[in-house]
Amino acid sequence: MKTHFFHYLIIVGILLLGVGSIIFFPIGKDLQFVIVAVLALFYLCYGILHHHLEHDLTIKIVVEYVLITLLVMGLFIFVKGGL
Amino acid sequence: MISYLAHLFVPGEKNNHRPKLLHHKSIFTLLLLIAIASTFVSIIRKTAPNVLGIATDIFVEDLVTYTNEERQKEGIPPVVLNKELSEAAGAKAANMFAKDYWAHNAPDGTTPWVFIQKVGYDYVYAGENLAKDFNDSQGVVNAWMASPSHKENMLSHRYDEVGFAVVNGKLNGQETTLVVEMFGRRQGTQAAAGVATEVELPATPATVAAQPFVAGVSKIPLIDSSIFTKRVAVGTLIAFVAAFVLDMIYIGRKKLFRLVGHNIDHVLFLIGAILILIFFGRGLVL
């Protein structure tokens, strides 16, 4: 349970850092998109590592994280109007 | 309709105890739909910007009014719109688009004061505020007022005249509405109060053609693509958050064991993405 809490603390911290940098710093759309891409990549790696450490990593779980990552990236590309 | 929504969002026997929306096949189908929609929106924006485009409604008259409203609140005398300063602002905007930069000084080192000098405005004090990617005049003035350095220019006693340019063009390959605000005070006029350091003059003025005065930019398409795409994206992500939360509640109640990803990971990531989307692509000031 403690390990779980630590894992969630990491993802919350990194997400807050990314969201905060976009809210509080005047940066252009392109740089904002780069931050989103980095966060998405972090989330994917985090998800896989999290399950690996819990010894329940399967291909199905990897695909699930990949699909959610692609969904978010796809929606940001849609909003941005292309890459 | 209600049963289909329940099938999409609520786990049960019919959807193998996992909301249909969260099945890999559904997410993959949605990804294909997003790719098709992106292409479609991109084509419509290029071929029919009056139908689907970015709405812009920024007028010089409004910018002057809102600027003076802010000055009036602080008891500072209003600034008067000056044709020469507006020409200088237009020249600066044209230079920014031509040389593709977003800065006070051009890549070749040309300062904003060069543009003011070039139109024959003999100044004692001068200042410049820049803004891009805003949809309306009030938004521009609010953003300048929210930034301490821009606010200082907006509320300075040193200036008694102002010029604006609102120009559409491409910066860094993206359609942009640029707003250039140039403040000034001519030689021989006395500042009301708060005399500050004289602005540095450029050593060698660059050659800049004066731009015709433009009253503003108003483009109101049938559908504002920036609002439309954001709403679709936020709506989609909220739907996924709802499905994951309902799934979490269902698993918790039924005490089911499934070999799937952690819903809480997904919910945290999606909430982060929603927050970023809200602030994504907002206007910038410099």
Side-chain angles (χ1 to χ4, degrees), chain B residues 10 19 30-31 36 42 49 54 66 81 98 110 113-114 129-130 134 148 183 186 191-192 231 250 264 276 278 285:
Chain B
V10 186
L30 197 62
L31 277 171
I36 293 165
S42 182
I54 296 170
Y66 299 141
L81 186 65
T110 307
W113 328 127
V114 172
N129 281 350
L130 301 174
F134 284 90
F183 291 99
R186 284 176 192 278
R231 282 184 182 166
Y250 183 83
I264 195 144
I276 292 173
I278 293 167
V285 294

Side-chain angles (χ1 to χ4, degrees), chain B residues 142-185:
Chain B
N142 287 349
W144 279 332
M145 288 302 290
S147 154
S149 58
H150 296 93
K151 186 179 176 181
E152 201 183 313
N153 266 345
M154 298 278 288
L155 303 179
S156 175
H157 286 85
R158 285 177 289 172
Y159 312 126
D160 60 357
E161 291 183 313
V162 72
F164 283 101
V166 185
V167 191
N168 272 347
K170 270 192 174 181
L171 264 188
N172 201 15
Q174 288 189 339
E175 279 295 331
T176 306
T177 302
L178 200 61
V179 182
V180 179
E181 180 182 44
M182 282 189 169
F183 291 99
R185 176 177 287 274

Side-chain angles (χ1 to χ4, degrees), chain B residues 188-249:
Chain B
T189 53
Q190 196 65 45
V195 178
T197 323
E198 194 170 335
V199 174
E200 195 182 321
L201 280 167
T204 45
T207 312
V208 183
Q211 299 297 308
F213 176 75
V214 181
V217 170
S218 182
K219 264 195 326 180
I220 312 288
L222 198 64
I223 302 164
D224 185 338
S225 64
S226 62
I227 293 173
F228 170 73
T229 53
K230 259 191 191 185
R231 282 184 182 166
V232 170
V234 170
T236 306
L237 294 181
I238 288 174
F240 270 87
V241 170
F244 278 122
V245 170
L246 287 170
D247 192 48
M248 269 196 283
I249 295 168

